[in-house]
Amino acid sequence: MEAELKDMTDDLESLKRSLPDSSLHASVDKLKLHVENLAKMVKSATVQRSKVKDMSAEVVDSNPYSRLMALQRMGIVENYERIREFSVAIVGIGGVGSVAAEMLTRCGIGRLLLYDYDKVELANMNRLFFRPEQVGMTKTDAAVQTLSDINPDVVLESFTLNITTVQGFETFMASLKNKSFCPSKEGSGVDLVLSCVDNYEARMAVNQACNELTQTWMESGVSEDAVSGHIQLLIPGETACFACAPPLVVASGVDERTLKREGVCAASLPTTMGVVAGLLVQNTLKYLLKFGQVSPYLGYNSLKDYFPTMAMKPNPQCSNAACLERQKEYLVAKPARDAAAKAKREAEASLAPEGPLHDDNEWNISVVDDSDLGRIDATSAGALPEGLTHELPSADEFEKSPAPVPADTSVDDLEALQKQLEALNAD
Amino acid sequence: MEAELKDMTDDLESLKRSLPDSSLHASVDKLKLHVENLAKMVKSATVQRSKVKDMSAEVVDSNPYSRLMALQRMGIVENYERIREFSVAIVGIGGVGSVAAEMLTRCGIGRLLLYDYDKVELANMNRLFFRPEQVGMTKTDAAVQTLSDINPDVVLESFTLNITTVQGFETFMASLKNKSFCPSKEGSGVDLVLSCVDNYEARMAVNQACNELTQTWMESGVSEDAVSGHIQLLIPGETACFACAPPLVVASGVDERTLKREGVCAASLPTTMGVVAGLLVQNTLKYLLKFGQVSPYLGYNSLKDYFPTMAMKPNPQCSNAACLERQKEYLVAKPARDAAAKAKREAEASLAPEGPLHDDNEWNISVVDDSDLGRIDATSAGALPEGLTHELPSADEFEKSPAPVPADTSVDDLEALQKQLEALNAD
């Protein structure tokens, strides 16, 4: 719009010069005034925040990162600014993916890769993020528009494609391998892939790509009746992959297509999807910035406000060849991993002071054996500055609750579940 | 902007007529083309969705309510459209309140009352909802701007005031009593008050107003270290009020003011606040539309993904006089309440068919005694259409977990907690 206004000013100038009679100059000046007014209106409608070179912890109203950098002062995160080095890929920019993208953008993530092939519709307005004026735009374009306004510091790359097509999958793989953002990074070009898709086929495509690339990812889903959801961490070779064991999400009996027939549509709620997106990005922040415990699986049953957790080991008879390869590599690397962990423990022990660091141990911090696979522990963040405490009591005593499903599920059960899962369509 | 463009077109027309030489007409026509282009740009930037008279369940891309009305077809909600009759007041339009307002707006709530006295700052951009171009606006004005674009069907009333001042409290009370939206409504003019404030004083003001009006409300909070939060249901006379028992949110030892001194600010995260807003509005929907179980208290410890629940009875020695009055009324009304409940049960039993409704009982539905105070049961929503199941297994077996805090807390403990709570400042 600014270009159009500039052209108009130029054209008015040349018109004024061509006028034979200066009595008409006033009319042209009046027109120029209109253009100036329009320019002012356009400018006030598009005030944007400028880019920020370094994240500052300064507590001023104009610092968009002050409340995030405060996580360091509060002892939760060791180095918050590291978030600018990370790349996260989000597959599916729907009710969960779009909110996850906005949360990471507001947290100042380094780079976001967004994948979707769908367009924004009025029927999406019962979920957060998209606005009615974006109806008709591709979800990727609309997301880039909104996210770049919110935080211009984030590098956004969007891919309007379907990852379940041959061409789409190839582009998806190539984009994950691209290391131009951080050439020194080990492995792929991204630190984490978040799956926020609404169907089984797309989840299997993400699973295939991540198994091939030894890429850690997190899966998310919301049930068709809109009242439950889950997130799950998948580390190729170390945890179950999506083909090893389907999640506890089953639409039993009916085929996915029957649910999409004319006149039938799945329910969705901004609440359930907002909670799942929040839990997903919280797990992402804990994983990337190494604080708290990264949950291997977390369910959300909103009717009862019940949140089951569990851990799933890989299935040695998984149907996915890349998964079996990753499992082999993980086993082969075990002695080296154990030795490194032992050396690290010994080094830390030799550095530790002789006596207890805090005699009174007000926060009840203790060194615990964190080898339990059920919980993936990152660095402890229990130590808060004097005078602050976590809002809730310790969950330790509740962790002994029985898991809803045993970690080792038999293959027969898996096949039955797999069939049911084919009927799954979670959005 | 449209008016400015219209004036320009008129002025160009009159200029064209005044031109002595038709050789200059082309220049004017070029200018007119510019104006047309600008008009097109302005139009595409302000496409808004029109109001919808009735909520339709029709499954078309252009229906903003299709995914919500599907909750009826899925057996979750008996009558979704009733949501248009409800009024919800949200006090505090910050990181939790703004997201709660957006969720309720997208769900098509009838009427929202918004209270805040603060302005939008760049330092708020690490939470969802507000956009950088709204910096400097009051939070109420910015919220009304965004929410009315998202859903013009919602009646929005905003109050730019501080409810902890004498004048602000009076206006707050008067606005809650105003019944013009639904004159036949019993009690106050609103169905629920959501407290999304960040300090103790404002919570006590909401508590006072709700106790005086016998107004059910829900409280929410996020810890200063940004990694935990909670929601709580308060029914005057029936549950603990905010003065009966402070929540499990304590900043021990230090005074609130020391945490706000120069150079020090509390941390916040869009994830934690998004989750708390989602849980709060989910509980609101369950309460208003009568499905699932309304949680009396739900905590969120994000470091461990741990979600404690509990119930708190009113304190017979509460310092709040209005609370004591409500407690008396509740006790006096007990025999009538019990008799009505018994009559309802008997009427339902006489209407029920002789044999079992479903012989196989695939969904394991059973009639249970729901008199337990620890859970406030609404209508059962367990019955899903054939072929659908909830994403997660039943939580029944986990409900026997020990509550983190006994329902009857002694008054000595309360006084100690009360003192600590005065140091609370949760945002």
Side-chain angles (χ1 to χ4, degrees):
Chain A
M1 213 176 269
E2 287 85 346
E4 198 75 29
L5 288 167
K6 173 86 177 51
D7 286 352
M8 259 185 110
T9 312
D10 294 347
D11 290 348
L12 281 169
E13 275 302 326
S14 70
L15 177 68
K16 194 173 172 180
R17 280 192 300 272
S18 334
L19 284 176
D21 182 354
S22 65
S23 71
L24 287 169
H25 281 193
S27 302
V28 176
D29 287 341
K30 196 177 164 200
L31 283 163
K32 280 171 77 179
L33 202 67
H34 281 306
V35 175
E36 278 167 34
N37 285 342
L38 282 168
K40 270 184 215 155
M41 287 178 199
V42 169
K43 204 180 164 200
S44 75
T46 56
V47 170
Q48 288 182 319
R49 94 154 168 83
S50 50
K51 290 200 183 193
V52 173
K53 193 169 169 289
D54 297 303
M55 276 192 181
S56 152
E58 197 190 358
V59 181
V60 288
D61 295 343
S62 57
N63 178 5
Y65 296 118
S66 60
R67 283 4 179 217
L68 294 165
M69 294 297 279
L71 289 164
Q72 280 180 218
R73 201 172 34 245
M74 298 253 169
I76 301 291
V77 177
E78 216 174 288
N79 179 0
Y80 189 84
E81 203 168 356
R82 270 206 75 195
I83 200 164
R84 297 191 113 170
E85 297 165 19
F86 298 122
S87 291
V88 174
I90 302 182
V91 188
I93 314 299
V96 172
S98 63
V99 180
E102 177 169 353
M103 287 174 171
L104 284 168
T105 296
R106 291 186 182 263
C107 283
I109 193 81
R111 172 170 163 254
L112 275 186
L113 295 85
L114 308 174
Y115 306 82
D116 206 300
Y117 63 91
D118 215 359
K119 283 190 175 175
V120 180
E121 290 159 2
L122 265 188
N124 306 139
M125 292 307 133
N126 69 322
R127 286 151 265 179
L128 297 179
F129 194 75
F130 291 116
R131 301 188 304 269
E133 67 262 30
Q134 294 176 319
V135 166
M137 291 175 77
T138 62
K139 288 185 176 173
T140 43
D141 283 352
V144 167
Q145 180 188 61
T146 301
L147 299 175
S148 59
D149 273 355
I150 289 172
N151 191 344
D153 298 332
V154 178
V155 175
L156 296 169
E157 293 175 23
S158 74
F159 301 86
T160 311
L161 53 80
N162 181 347
I163 63 161
T164 66
T165 64
V166 173
Q167 177 61 49
F169 187 78
E170 273 173 23
T171 312
F172 177 48
M173 285 288 283
S175 66
L176 294 180
K177 286 184 201 162
N178 179 355
K179 289 204 199 189
S180 56
F181 181 72
C182 187
S184 63
K185 193 187 163 300
E186 280 178 42
S188 82
V190 303
D191 296 278
L192 193 66
V193 173
L194 301 180
S195 166
C196 305
V197 297
D198 64 355
N199 64 82
Y200 176 74
E201 238 186 320
R203 286 186 174 91
M204 286 302 266
V206 175
N207 188 60
Q208 182 63 36
C210 291
N211 277 343
E212 284 184 27
L213 297 169
T214 321
Q215 174 64 56
T216 297
W217 62 293
M218 288 184 199
E219 134 76 3
S220 67
V222 174
S223 66
E224 297 199 291
D225 62 8
V227 287
S228 23
H230 73 275
I231 63 166
Q232 186 181 348
L233 172 71
L234 298 101
I235 308 173
E238 189 176 335
T239 71
C241 89
F242 194 74
C244 282
L248 294 177
V249 190
V250 283
S252 58
V254 285
D255 189 283
E256 169 173 336
R257 279 158 295 178
T258 66
L259 293 164
K260 287 238 162 166
R261 70 189 163 192
E262 202 191 337
V264 178
C265 79
S268 57
L269 280 167
T271 45
T272 311
M273 289 184 148
V275 169
V276 169
L279 298 175
L280 179 68
V281 176
Q282 197 83 288
N283 222 33
T284 297
L285 294 175
K286 290 193 281 184
Y287 173 80
L288 295 175
L289 297 172
K290 300 192 192 305
F291 67 96
Q293 292 173 335
V294 181
S295 284
Y297 178 97
L298 178 62
Y300 169 42
N301 172 329
S302 77
L303 294 182
K304 299 198 168 190
D305 282 334
Y306 160 63
F307 301 80
T309 57
M310 60 161 187
M312 282 191 287
K313 288 182 199 158
N315 176 359
Q317 286 160 297
C318 179
S319 61
N320 187 290
C323 172
L324 295 178
E325 271 182 59
R326 295 296 91 76
Q327 289 188 44
K328 249 184 255 167
E329 288 166 9
Y330 187 75
L331 286 176
V332 166
K334 192 175 187 302
R337 206 165 43 240
D338 290 349
K342 196 184 165 208
K344 201 187 163 205
R345 273 199 303 277
E346 284 170 358
E348 281 168 358
S350 70
L351 281 174
E354 292 279 317
L357 196 58
H358 303 287
D359 275 328
D360 55 354
N361 198 10
E362 190 187 354
W363 307 105
N364 205 24
I365 297 159
S366 60
V367 179
V368 293
D369 178 15
D370 60 359
S371 61
D372 175 23
L373 256 174
R375 283 285 182 183
I376 290 131
D377 286 304
T379 61
S380 163
L384 290 183
E386 200 183 344
L388 280 179
T389 175
H390 295 300
E391 191 188 38
L392 301 172
S394 160
D396 287 337
E397 62 201 277
F398 294 87
E399 294 198 345
K400 290 159 200 155
S401 306
V405 154
D408 294 271
T409 317
S410 82
V411 179
D412 280 351
D413 286 354
L414 285 178
E415 276 171 7
L417 277 170
Q418 194 90 19
K419 271 189 198 138
Q420 292 179 308
L421 197 73
E422 273 154 29
L424 163 74
N425 169 37
D427 185 328
Chain B
M1 213 176 270
E2 288 85 348
E4 197 76 31
L5 289 167
K6 172 85 178 50
D7 287 351
M8 262 186 107
T9 311
D10 295 345
D11 290 348
L12 281 169
E13 274 302 326
S14 70
L15 176 69
K16 194 172 171 181
R17 281 192 298 271
S18 334
L19 285 176
D21 182 353
S22 65
S23 70
L24 287 169
H25 282 191
S27 302
V28 177
D29 288 341
K30 195 178 166 199
L31 283 163
K32 278 172 77 180
L33 202 68
H34 280 308
V35 175
E36 278 166 32
N37 285 342
L38 282 168
K40 272 184 214 155
M41 287 179 198
V42 168
K43 203 178 165 202
S44 75
T46 57
V47 171
Q48 287 182 320
R49 96 153 166 83
S50 51
K51 288 199 185 196
V52 173
K53 194 168 168 289
D54 296 302
M55 276 191 180
S56 151
E58 197 191 357
V59 181
V60 288
D61 295 344
S62 57
N63 178 4
Y65 297 117
S66 61
R67 298 328 196 238
L68 294 165
M69 294 296 279
L71 288 164
Q72 281 181 217
R73 199 170 36 246
M74 298 252 167
I76 301 292
V77 178
E78 215 173 288
N79 180 0
Y80 188 84
E81 203 168 357
R82 269 205 77 194
I83 200 164
R84 298 189 114 171
E85 297 165 19
F86 298 121
S87 291
V88 175
I90 304 182
V91 188
I93 314 298
V96 173
S98 63
V99 180
E102 177 169 353
M103 286 174 172
L104 284 169
T105 296
R106 291 185 182 265
C107 284
I109 193 82
R111 172 170 163 254
L112 275 185
L113 294 87
L114 308 173
Y115 306 83
D116 207 301
Y117 62 91
D118 215 1
K119 283 188 175 176
V120 180
E121 289 159 2
L122 265 188
N124 306 137
M125 292 306 133
N126 68 320
R127 285 152 267 179
L128 297 180
F129 192 75
F130 292 116
R131 301 187 304 269
E133 67 263 29
Q134 295 177 317
V135 167
M137 291 174 78
T138 62
K139 287 185 177 173
T140 43
D141 283 351
V144 168
Q145 181 187 63
T146 301
L147 299 176
S148 58
D149 275 354
I150 289 172
N151 190 345
D153 298 332
V154 179
V155 175
L156 296 168
E157 292 174 24
S158 73
F159 301 86
T160 312
L161 53 80
N162 180 346
I163 62 160
T164 67
T165 65
V166 174
Q167 177 61 51
F169 186 79
E170 273 172 24
T171 311
F172 177 47
M173 284 288 284
S175 65
L176 295 180
K177 285 183 203 163
N178 180 355
K179 289 204 199 187
S180 56
F181 181 73
C182 187
S184 63
K185 194 188 162 301
E186 278 179 43
S188 82
V190 303
D191 296 277
L192 193 66
V193 173
L194 301 181
S195 167
C196 305
V197 297
D198 64 354
N199 63 83
Y200 176 74
E201 236 185 320
R203 285 187 176 90
M204 286 302 266
V206 176
N207 188 59
Q208 182 63 37
C210 291
N211 277 344
E212 286 184 26
L213 298 170
T214 322
Q215 173 65 57
T216 298
W217 62 292
M218 288 184 198
E219 134 75 4
S220 67
V222 174
S223 66
E224 298 199 288
D225 62 8
V227 287
S228 20
H230 73 276
I231 63 166
Q232 187 181 346
L233 171 72
L234 298 101
I235 308 173
E238 188 176 335
T239 71
C241 89
F242 194 74
C244 283
L248 293 178
V249 190
V250 283
S252 57
V254 286
D255 188 284
E256 170 174 335
R257 279 158 295 179
T258 65
L259 293 165
K260 287 236 161 167
R261 72 191 161 191
E262 202 191 339
V264 178
C265 81
S268 57
L269 280 168
T271 45
T272 311
M273 290 185 149
V275 169
V276 170
L279 297 176
L280 179 68
V281 176
Q282 197 83 292
N283 222 31
T284 297
L285 295 176
K286 290 192 283 183
Y287 173 80
L288 295 175
L289 298 172
K290 302 195 189 306
F291 66 96
Q293 291 172 334
V294 180
S295 284
Y297 177 96
L298 178 62
Y300 169 42
N301 172 329
S302 78
L303 294 182
K304 298 197 167 189
D305 281 334
Y306 161 63
F307 301 82
T309 57
M310 59 161 188
M312 282 191 288
K313 288 182 197 158
N315 176 359
Q317 287 160 297
C318 178
S319 61
N320 186 289
C323 173
L324 295 179
E325 272 182 60
R326 296 296 90 76
Q327 290 186 43
K328 249 183 257 169
E329 289 166 8
Y330 186 75
L331 285 176
V332 166
K334 192 175 187 303
R337 205 165 43 241
D338 290 349
K342 197 184 163 207
K344 200 185 164 207
R345 271 199 306 276
E346 283 169 358
E348 282 170 357
S350 71
L351 280 173
E354 292 279 317
L357 195 60
H358 303 287
D359 275 328
D360 55 353
N361 197 10
E362 190 187 355
W363 308 105
N364 204 25
I365 296 158
S366 58
V367 179
V368 294
D369 178 15
D370 61 357
S371 62
D372 175 22
L373 256 174
R375 284 285 181 180
I376 291 134
D377 284 305
T379 60
S380 164
L384 288 184
E386 201 183 343
L388 279 179
T389 177
H390 295 301
E391 192 187 40
L392 299 172
S394 160
D396 288 338
E397 62 201 277
F398 293 89
E399 292 198 344
K400 291 158 198 154
S401 305
V405 155
D408 294 272
T409 318
S410 82
V411 180
D412 280 352
D413 286 356
L414 285 180
E415 276 172 7
L417 277 171
Q418 194 89 18
K419 272 189 197 138
Q420 292 180 310
L421 196 75
E422 274 155 28
L424 163 75
N425 170 36
D427 185 327

